[in-house]
Amino acid sequence: MKVAVFSSKSYDEEHLTKANANAELELTFFVPQLTAQTVALSNGFDIVCCFVNDVIDNTVAKALKENGVQLVAMRCAGFNNVDLDACEKHDLPVARVPEYSPNAVAEHAVALILDLNRNIHRAFSRVRENDYSLSGLMGFDLFGKTVACVGGGRIGQSFIRIMKGFGCRVLCYDPMPSDALKETGAELVPLEQVWAESDIISLHCPLVRSTYHIINSNSLSQMKPGVMLINTSRGGLIDTPAIITALKSARVGYLGLDVYEEEANLFFEDYSDQVLQDDIFARLTTFKNVVITGHQAFFTHEALQAIAEVTLANIHHYNKGELDKMCLVKA
Ligand code: NAD
């Protein structure tokens, strides 16, 4: 089977090649994202392997099918960039990697919390400048604070366990709480209680219609002044102009982001010799109490290995007609 790997980086090539050690699949690595402009590259391939910012809309799904592609194998958990209805219409199954290392993402969310709280990013710069003053660097004890997790799936549960280890009171909002979530000991509460009582709120829900801009001017107005918000899930969960307003008024005291609504043309690339064109993102980077990483929460050795193995397992199952063993995404 011939597989076209889009948005390919050196680390994708390394891990997918290793997982394909027996060379059963013919992997071709393409640096460009899959979009309507690049879909022609898929001609002659059986499968496309895609990542978070590839665009699989109706135009692309139709072109993929016309090019002979039979399967979209996502090498990530989220699939908000895939038009599932269009894929179904064009008879193009979509597989994904539902779980690779929930701990990787949860631990990154905690890294952002600790960095923001103790001003590690500012201290790092000061020490390099020979400045050892402490003013402006004061943090707070996490012990005893109320921390909320919005979305108590695999990553949320890992996050809850870590925060309980710090001695925090942990709340969780999830409309479909699983038994595994209940066993974490988090208090399952309505969203209004999350907004009203939390010192720290971390988003771990998927980006779907009901969660789009779940952080908006209305929800922000219900939060404790100075709340810390962490988003390692998807950029579209936050209305960015609304959060900039809330940062300016100090309603939001700290913001940690690993994802950004308009990240598709920004993250995963080196633009260090260019002028930043996104004025909203540029404004975000000016706040001392905002820390942004470029969608790296998943980026651990363990996660990349698991992603490669599950992606190829999905493809092998498809090849053998074992659809029931695949992690398929339904419209
Ligand atoms: P999961 O499917 O295990 O859990 C998602 C949970 O969200 C489920 O328990 C579900 O019931 C809940 N949920 C659904 N609708 C909700 C709503 N309206 N409000 C609150 N909760 C809701 O997914 P996961 O593996 O824990 O991943 C969560 C998200 O993390 C993914 O959707 C993806 O967007 C993001 N993610 C980010 C990275 C990264 O590198 N930054 C990596 C992997 C995943």
Side-chain angles (χ1 to χ4, degrees):
M1 288 224 132
K2 294 176 78 176
V3 183
V5 182
F6 281 87
S7 299
S8 177
K9 303 284 182 206
S10 57
Y11 44 84
D12 294 311
E13 189 162 344
E14 180 192 332
H15 287 84
L16 285 167
T17 304
K18 201 167 150 201
N20 189 40
N22 54 12
E24 273 183 52
L25 301 170
E26 203 180 310
L27 304 174
T28 303
F29 297 93
F30 291 111
V31 171
Q33 285 173 11
L34 176 59
T35 64
Q37 285 70 45
T38 62
V39 69
L41 291 169
S42 69
N43 207 347
F45 286 91
D46 306 297
I47 291 164
V48 288
C49 177
C50 303
F51 196 50
V52 293
N53 290 327
D54 290 313
V55 181
I56 301 111
D57 57 12
N58 185 51
T59 309
V60 171
K62 183 168 178 283
L64 287 174
K65 197 66 190 178
E66 285 166 0
N67 288 347
V69 171
Q70 303 162 34
L71 172 71
V72 176
M74 303 298 294
R75 55 178 191 282
C76 53
F79 47 87
N80 51 287
N81 50 329
V82 182
D83 183 336
L84 293 176
D85 292 326
C87 287
E88 194 172 281
K89 188 170 84 185
H90 299 294
D91 189 25
L92 207 51
V94 179
R96 68 172 183 136
V97 184
E99 174 180 323
Y100 32 94
S101 175
N103 301 321
V105 182
E107 288 170 16
H108 193 78
V110 177
L112 290 172
I113 291 174
L114 290 170
D115 177 277
L116 281 162
N117 173 23
R118 307 308 293 265
N119 285 293
I120 305 294
H121 54 295
R122 295 183 67 193
F124 175 80
S125 308
R126 280 193 198 180
V127 169
R128 286 165 75 95
E129 295 296 324
N130 221 16
D131 173 358
Y132 307 98
S133 64
L134 297 183
S135 78
L137 301 186
M138 192 181 294
F140 58 84
D141 285 12
L142 285 170
F143 184 86
K145 294 294 182 298
T146 300
V147 177
C149 173
V150 178
R154 286 163 280 237
I155 295 170
Q157 287 163 37
S158 176
F159 176 78
I160 290 166
R161 277 190 285 271
I162 299 171
M163 297 320 294
K164 285 190 89 67
F166 277 103
C168 297
R169 172 188 178 220
V170 184
L171 311 179
C172 180
Y173 169 71
D174 193 309
M176 294 160 284
S178 63
D179 290 342
L181 172 59
K182 290 173 192 160
E183 280 165 21
T184 61
E187 293 173 43
L188 300 179
V189 299
L191 211 41
E192 295 68 34
Q193 197 174 339
V194 163
W195 302 153
E197 294 184 12
S198 306
D199 301 298
I200 300 172
I201 300 172
S202 192
L203 304 177
H204 298 291
C205 55
L207 176 60
V208 289
R209 228 168 262 138
S210 63
T211 58
Y212 175 71
H213 284 184
I214 194 168
I215 304 296
N216 54 43
S217 54
N218 180 35
S219 52
L220 285 163
S221 71
Q222 298 172 51
M223 293 177 197
K224 278 189 177 179
V227 65
M228 181 188 292
L229 287 177
I230 304 292
N231 187 10
T232 56
S233 201
R234 283 292 179 267
L237 298 177
I238 294 183
D239 177 347
T240 315
I243 212 154
I244 287 174
T245 304
L247 282 160
K248 285 164 78 177
S249 70
R251 162 70 59 178
V252 170
Y254 313 80
L255 177 64
L257 300 178
D258 186 52
V259 286
Y260 169 60
E261 201 166 4
E262 302 300 329
E263 71 177 53
N265 296 320
L266 201 59
F267 286 3
F268 305 119
E269 304 300 334
D270 178 2
Y271 296 118
S272 53
D273 59 351
Q274 294 182 28
V275 173
L276 179 56
Q277 297 297 325
D278 183 332
D279 291 350
I280 295 177
F281 189 78
R283 181 67 177 102
L284 271 183
T285 63
T286 65
F287 294 99
K288 290 187 171 55
N289 50 353
V290 175
V291 170
I292 306 172
T293 53
H295 209 136
Q296 68 172 75
F298 74 100
F299 200 55
T300 65
H301 288 298
E302 292 79 359
L304 283 181
Q305 191 180 331
I307 288 170
E309 285 168 4
V310 177
T311 302
L312 296 200
N314 275 332
I315 294 173
H316 287 308
H317 289 314
Y318 179 78
N319 204 9
K320 292 184 197 155
E322 300 170 339
L323 299 197
D324 55 319
K325 293 189 180 163
M326 294 174 69
C327 308
L328 284 170
V329 192
K330 292 281 166 223

